[in-house]
Amino acid sequence: GSNYNVYTDLTGLSGSITPTVTTSKVFLSGHVMLAILSRTMLIRIMRSIAGSGYVEVGSGPVVGARIGAHSSIITDSNSNGPAPASIHFVDTPSFSSGQAITYKIQARDSDLTGQAWWCNAGVNDSNTGAWARTISGFTIQELL
C-alpha cells in the first residue's frame, strides 16, 4: 500500500452495472483483505453515475475529527494479516434509464501520520510460511 493516510483505489475492486429499471436498488457485497502493523485500516465505497465524479456512499458520518468509513479492520503487533473488512450495502442511486453506475472500493490507514499497508498480502509480504497471499472480492447486484 501507499499514500498512507488518504483513501486509495484498490486495483480490481471496481465494476459497473446498468440497472434495467430506474427504481432498482444496487446491492454491494464482498470483502477486502488488508494488513497493517498495529493499526486500523478503513475502506469506503465510491459511486459514479454515467461517468460523473465519484461520491462516497455507505459510510458512517464524519463527526468532529472522526473519519467516515464503510468498514474497518484492526490489527495488533502480533498479527501478520491480512484480515477481512466486509462490504455489505444496499444503495438507492438516482439515475436515468440506460445510465451505467460504477462502484469502486478504496482503503486507507486510519492514522493521520500514516503507515505502509498491504492488500491481499501480509505485513511486509514476507516470503515465509507464516504470511499468506489472499484475494479480495466485490459483487454488484441489481435489486428490482
Side-chain angles (χ1 to χ4, degrees):
S2 61
N3 296 331
Y4 306 126
N5 65 345
V6 297
Y7 275 108
T8 303
D9 292 353
L10 296 176
T11 302
L13 292 181
S14 64
S16 296
I17 190 168
T18 303
T20 58
V21 294
T22 58
T23 54
S24 289
K25 296 178 181 180
V26 181
F27 176 54
L28 308 169
S29 62
H31 64 274
V32 181
M33 301 299 292
L34 298 167
I36 192 167
L37 188 61
S38 301
R39 296 289 252 289
T40 300
M41 286 291 303
L42 309 172
I43 63 167
R44 71 178 179 181
I45 303 165
M46 301 297 286
R47 175 188 66 201
S48 170
I49 298 174
S52 65
Y54 279 92
V55 296
E56 186 173 355
V57 296
S59 288
V62 175
V63 179
R66 296 171 196 90
I67 303 165
H70 176 74
S71 185
S72 67
I73 60 137
I74 188 166
T75 63
D76 62 38
S77 61
N78 297 316
S79 173
N80 297 328
S86 63
I87 301 165
H88 188 95
F89 180 65
V90 176
D91 191 21
T92 55
S94 177
F95 59 96
S96 299
S97 182
Q99 288 185 321
I101 304 170
T102 302
Y103 294 92
K104 65 181 178 179
I105 304 299
Q106 297 181 323
R108 67 165 282 177
D109 177 354
S110 68
D111 192 282
L112 295 178
T113 59
Q115 180 177 318
W117 54 270
W118 293 262
C119 182
N120 297 325
V123 170
N124 295 319
D125 196 19
S126 297
N127 188 19
T128 72
W131 274 252
R133 286 277 181 96
T134 60
I135 62 169
S136 298
F138 181 42
T139 302
I140 303 167
Q141 296 173 285
E142 179 179 11
L143 300 179
L144 295 172

